[in-house]
C-alpha cells in the first residue's frame, strides 16, 4: 500500500472510531488543531499514565509538578525564546502566501528579482527572509499593551526550571534528581501537518534531570537508553526506531548535545522524543535575569554549583501517532479484510468487548451481568448488535485486545470464550476467573 494511502486510512479510522476529530469541524476546521474523541482520550490518558508511572511513581529520584501554561514574560526573555525561538520566513507581496526560507519549492534567492513565488508564479515578489517568532502571544488583564504581553508556553520545561528550588526544598531530594511534568505547549508552526504529527497545540511529557556538571555525559547516556527501552516496552516495532544525533547546525540554542528518537512514519523517519543536554544554560540565565540565587548547595561537601540539566522531552500526540501507525494492520482472514489496531493491552482504550452470541436464551442477560462486574475494574464494552463477526471487527479496529463471548455452553457450565485480537485464538475461561485472567494479561 502506498505510504500516503496508509495515512489516509488511518486518519479515516481515527475519525470513524472516535480517536481524533478535526477541531471546529462544523466551521471548516482550524488549521492543524485536533480534538480527541472517546477512544482517543482513553489512549492518550493511558500513554500519559504509563509515562508518569515509569518516571515518577516507580522511581524515588523524580518528583512531579504541574505548572501553569501562562508564565511571567521575563521567563521567555531569559530562556532565549523571545529572541531565538524563530523560523526565517519569506512573504509573497502579491498573493500574501508565507513560506519557510528553506522551503524546497522556492526557486532562486528570495529578495532578488529572479525569485519566483511557488503559489502565484510571480517573479520578484518574494521578500528576503525575516525571522518569525513561534510563540503565541496574548495579553493579561484588560489593557492590550506591550507591558501586558504574556505567551502561551512553547515548552513545559521552563515551568520546571523556575520551580526547581521549591521542589528541592519541599521534597528533600538531592542532586542528582529529576522533575517531571505533562502539559500543553503551543507553537505557531508555519508548516504544520501530517495529521497530529505537527500541530499548533500539543502536549509534552518532559522530565528535567538535575546533575553535577561533571556527570552530565554519564546521565545523558543513561537517559537516552532508558527512553528508547521505554518505547520498546510499549510494543513499538524496534526496527522502526532509531536515534538521530543533532549536528552543530541542528542544536537548539540551549543544547550542548541532543539525540532524537525517531520513528519510521509512512512519511519518513521523524523525531517524536528528544534527549538534550541543556547544561546550566537555563538555570544560569534565570539566575541572572531574576537576581535570585539558583545554586545548589551540597551539604556534604559545601560545594555550590548550578546543576546541569539532562532533559527528556516527548510529544504525547506524536507518540500517539507512533502507536497508531505501528499498530495499524490490514490483513485477510478467511477471505475477508480485517483492519486491526495492535495496541499494547495497557494502552488499549477498551480492554474487552462483551458479546452475547445471539440475542436470546438468556445470553444477553448473562453477558450483561459480566459487564456489570468487569466494568468496575476495566474499560469494557457491551455490544449485542449485529452479527458476532461484525462486533469482533469493530473491536479489532478500536484496538480492543479481548473479545468475551457468552454462547450456548456458557449457560450450562458458566464458561465464556475469550478471543485474542492478535492470534484470533479462543480460550474457554470460567466466568468467575475472568477478572484474574484479564488482569494477568493486561499487566504484563
Ligand atoms: N523542551 C524541549 C523541547 O521542547 P523540542 O524538540 O522542541 O524540545 C520536544 O520538542 C518534543 O515535543 C518533540 O520531539 C515532539 O515530539 C514534540 N513537539 C514539538 N513541536 C511539536 C508540534 N508542533 N506538534 C506536535 N508535537 C511537537
Amino acid at each position: 500500500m502506498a505510504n500516503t494511502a496508509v495515512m489516509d486510512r488511518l486518519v479515516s479510522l481515527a475519525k470513524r472510531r472516535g480517536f481524533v476529530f478535526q477541531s471546529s469541524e462544523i466551521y471548516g476546521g482550524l488549521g492543524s488543531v485536533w480534538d480527541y474523541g472517546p477512544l482517543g482520550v482513553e489512549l492518550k490518558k493511558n500513554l500519559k499514565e504509563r509515562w508518569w508511572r515509569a518516571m515518577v511513581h516507580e522511581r524515588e529520584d523524580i518528583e512531579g509538578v504541574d505548572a501553569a501554561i501562562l508564565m511571567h514574560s521575563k521567563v521567555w526573555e531569559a530562556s532565549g525564546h523571545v529572541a531565538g525561538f524563530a523560523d526565517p520566513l519569506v512573504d509573497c507581496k502579491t498573493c500574501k502566501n508565507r513560506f519557510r526560507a528553506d522551503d524546497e519549492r522556492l526557486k532562486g534567492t528570495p529578495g532578488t528579482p529572479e525569485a519566483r513565488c511557488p503559489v502565484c508564479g510571480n517573479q520578484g515578489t518574494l521578500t528576503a527572509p525575516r525571522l518569525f517568532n513561534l510563540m503565541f502571544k496574548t495579553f493579561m488583564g484588560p489593557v492590550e499593551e506591550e507591558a501586558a504581553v504574556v505567551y502561551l508556553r512553547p515548552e513545559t520545561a521552563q515551568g520546571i526550571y523556575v520551580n526547581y528550588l521549591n521542589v528541592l526544598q519541599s521534597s528533600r531530594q538531592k542532586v542528582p534528581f529529576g522533575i517531571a511534568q505533562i502539559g500543553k505547549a503551543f507553537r505557531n508552526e508555519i508548516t504544520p501537518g501530517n495529521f497530529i504529527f505537527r500541530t499548533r497545540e500539543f502536549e509534552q511529557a518532559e522530565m528535567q534531570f538535575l546533575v553535577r556538571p561533571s556527570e552530565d555525559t554519564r546521565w545523558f547516556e543513561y537517559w537516552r537508553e532508558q527512553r528508547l527501552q521505554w518505547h520498546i516496552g510499549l510494543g513499538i516495532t524496534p526496527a522502526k526506531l532509531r536515534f538521530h544525533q543533532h549536528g552543530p547546525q541542528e542544536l537548539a540554542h540551549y543544547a550542548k548535545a541532543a539525540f532524537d528518537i525517531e520513528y519510521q512514519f509512512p512519511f519518513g523517519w521523524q523525531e517524536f522524543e528528544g534527549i538534550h543536554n541543556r547544561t546550566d544554560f537555563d538555570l544560569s540565565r534565570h539566575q541572572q535575569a531574576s537576581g535570585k540565587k539558583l545554586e545548589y548547595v551540597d551539604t556534604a561537601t559545601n560545594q555550590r554549583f548550578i546543576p546541569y540539566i539532562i532533559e527528556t522531552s516527548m510529544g504525547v500526540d506524536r507518540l500517539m501517532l507512533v502507536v497508531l501507525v505501528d499498530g495499524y494492520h490490514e490483513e485477510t482472514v478467511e477471505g475477508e479484510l480485517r483492519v486491526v489496531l495492535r495496541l499494547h493491552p495497557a494502552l488499549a482504550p477498551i480492554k474487552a468487548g462483551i458479546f452475547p452470541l445471539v440475542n436470546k436464551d438468556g445470553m444477553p442477560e448473562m453477558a450483561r451481568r459480566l459487564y456489570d462486574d468487569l466494568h468496575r475494574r476495566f474499560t469494557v464494552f457491551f455490544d449485542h448488535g449485529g452479527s458476532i463477526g461484525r462486533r469482533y471487527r469493530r473491536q479489532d479496529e478500536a484496538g480492543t485486545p479481548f473479545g468475551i463471548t457468552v454462547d450456548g455452553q456458557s449457560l450450562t457450565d458458566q464458561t465464556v470464550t475469550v478471543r485474542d485480537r492478535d492470534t484470533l485464538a479462543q480460550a474457554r475461561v470460567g466466568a468467575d476467573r475472568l477478572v484474574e485472567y484479564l488482569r494477568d494479561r493486561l499487566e504484563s
Side-chain angles (χ1 to χ4, degrees):
M1 204 186 332
N3 287 341
T4 48
V6 176
M7 279 308 287
D8 288 349
R9 290 185 202 199
L10 184 68
V11 172
S12 147
L13 177 139
K15 173 160 186 206
R16 190 169 73 244
R17 300 314 321 273
F19 282 95
V20 185
F21 307 131
Q22 198 181 11
S23 161
S24 320
E25 187 185 321
I26 60 168
Y27 290 100
L30 180 66
S32 288
V33 184
W34 300 91
D35 298 339
Y36 292 103
L39 294 188
V41 67
E42 295 293 333
L43 173 58
K44 198 175 189 197
K45 186 172 65 64
N46 292 341
L47 275 173
K48 289 191 283 187
E49 270 177 18
R50 201 169 161 92
W51 184 88
W52 193 260
R53 208 172 68 215
M55 283 299 196
V56 183
H57 291 173
E58 289 176 357
R59 299 184 64 110
E60 285 181 77
D61 56 355
I62 301 184
E63 305 286 339
V65 296
D66 182 14
I69 289 171
L70 299 176
M71 302 180 75
H72 201 295
S73 57
K74 290 221 165 96
V75 168
W76 304 109
E77 286 167 25
S79 70
H81 284 83
V82 171
F85 193 56
D87 277 344
L89 297 184
V90 167
D91 288 302
C92 173
K93 286 183 268 190
T94 307
C95 70
K96 310 289 181 213
N97 269 292
R98 186 164 254 193
F99 311 92
R100 277 171 67 121
D102 59 4
D103 193 321
E104 285 166 3
R105 294 171 302 164
L106 296 176
K107 302 258 177 316
T109 310
T112 63
E114 295 76 47
R116 184 192 288 269
C117 172
V119 173
C120 69
N122 279 309
Q123 225 173 354
T125 59
L126 295 176
T127 64
R130 288 184 291 216
L131 286 175
F132 176 85
N133 198 291
L134 297 180
M135 283 195 294
F136 280 98
K137 242 186 203 182
T138 186
F139 299 96
M140 199 151 100
V143 188
E144 296 196 1
E145 60 182 13
E146 203 47 36
V149 164
V150 286
Y151 300 95
L152 301 189
R153 64 182 178 198
E155 61 169 3
T156 64
Q158 300 299 328
I160 292 181
Y161 304 145
V162 299
N163 273 306
Y164 118 81
L165 283 183
N166 287 334
V167 174
L168 189 70
Q169 282 149 12
S170 54
S171 67
R172 313 189 62 177
Q173 288 282 358
K174 288 187 166 55
V175 165
F177 78 104
I179 307 176
Q181 170 167 228
I182 300 177
K184 291 269 179 146
F186 302 82
R187 296 184 190 177
N188 198 1
E189 299 279 4
I190 303 311
T191 47
N194 283 326
F195 195 31
I196 53 172
F197 178 79
R198 181 171 286 112
T199 56
R200 296 195 166 104
E201 173 177 344
F202 55 97
E203 207 156 5
Q204 290 186 316
E206 296 197 306
M207 193 281 298
Q208 316 294 323
F209 205 74
L210 295 93
V211 304
R212 289 170 189 286
S214 58
E215 295 184 348
D216 63 338
T217 308
R218 184 164 76 78
W219 282 110
F220 185 68
E221 293 303 321
Y222 169 84
W223 279 111
R224 207 159 74 85
E225 198 47 38
Q226 285 284 314
R227 295 306 303 144
L228 179 68
Q229 290 310 323
W230 188 79
H231 293 297
I232 291 173
L234 291 181
I236 299 166
T237 311
K240 293 194 168 185
L241 292 171
R242 73 176 189 194
F243 283 119
H244 164 75
Q245 181 170 18
H246 282 211
Q249 301 304 319
E250 290 169 274
L251 283 175
H253 61 274
Y254 49 71
K256 167 178 155 185
F259 275 90
D260 294 337
I261 302 180
E262 294 187 335
Y263 178 77
Q264 192 176 24
F265 289 98
F267 45 87
W269 286 96
Q270 293 286 344
E271 155 196 10
F272 66 102
E273 169 152 357
I275 294 98
H276 312 128
N277 180 350
R278 295 180 72 135
T279 70
D280 59 358
F281 177 87
D282 301 271
L283 292 180
S284 299
R285 297 272 297 225
H286 286 308
Q287 172 166 288
Q288 200 180 14
S290 68
K292 297 276 179 337
K293 276 253 170 288
L294 296 181
E295 286 172 341
Y296 176 80
V297 184
D298 184 334
T299 45
T301 62
N302 246 344
Q303 269 183 320
R304 289 168 176 271
F305 58 89
I306 295 197
Y308 268 37
I309 304 267
I310 307 302
E311 170 183 65
T312 71
S313 176
M314 177 179 93
V316 179
D317 314 77
R318 274 201 200 168
L319 179 60
M320 275 190 72
L321 188 57
V322 170
V323 299
L324 287 172
V325 166
D326 204 63
Y328 184 88
H329 292 272
E330 292 181 3
E331 54 196 33
T332 309
V333 177
E334 291 166 7
E336 273 193 54
L337 177 73
R338 173 169 100 116
V339 175
V340 55
L341 268 189
R342 293 214 170 92
L343 301 176
H344 187 293
L347 301 182
I350 302 170
K351 306 304 183 196
I354 303 178
F355 317 115
L357 182 63
V358 288
N359 262 321
K360 56 181 188 185
D361 301 337
M363 291 183 215
E365 291 77 7
M366 181 174 171
R368 188 72 210 180
R369 280 198 301 278
L370 285 178
Y371 171 83
D372 287 342
D373 185 33
L374 291 175
H375 88 116
R376 275 179 256 279
R377 297 174 176 88
F378 312 106
T379 48
V380 286
F381 185 76
F382 177 73
D383 189 359
H384 61 102
S387 76
I388 189 73
R390 211 180 132 83
R391 283 178 275 164
Y392 283 151
R393 281 197 295 281
R394 280 178 62 79
Q395 293 307 314
D396 287 343
E397 277 195 345
T400 306
F402 302 106
I404 299 169
T405 304
V406 172
D407 57 13
Q409 188 181 331
S410 310
L411 304 171
T412 53
D413 68 2
Q414 300 297 307
T415 62
V416 292
T417 62
V418 182
R419 170 188 181 266
D420 182 293
R421 175 198 67 198
D422 298 335
T423 63
L424 299 178
Q426 305 230 6
R428 266 217 107 83
V429 179
D432 56 350
R433 283 201 45 241
L434 266 179
V435 168
E436 194 189 338
Y437 184 91
L438 291 178
R439 194 185 292 132
D440 286 351
R441 280 154 188 81
L442 291 169
E443 283 178 1
S444 56

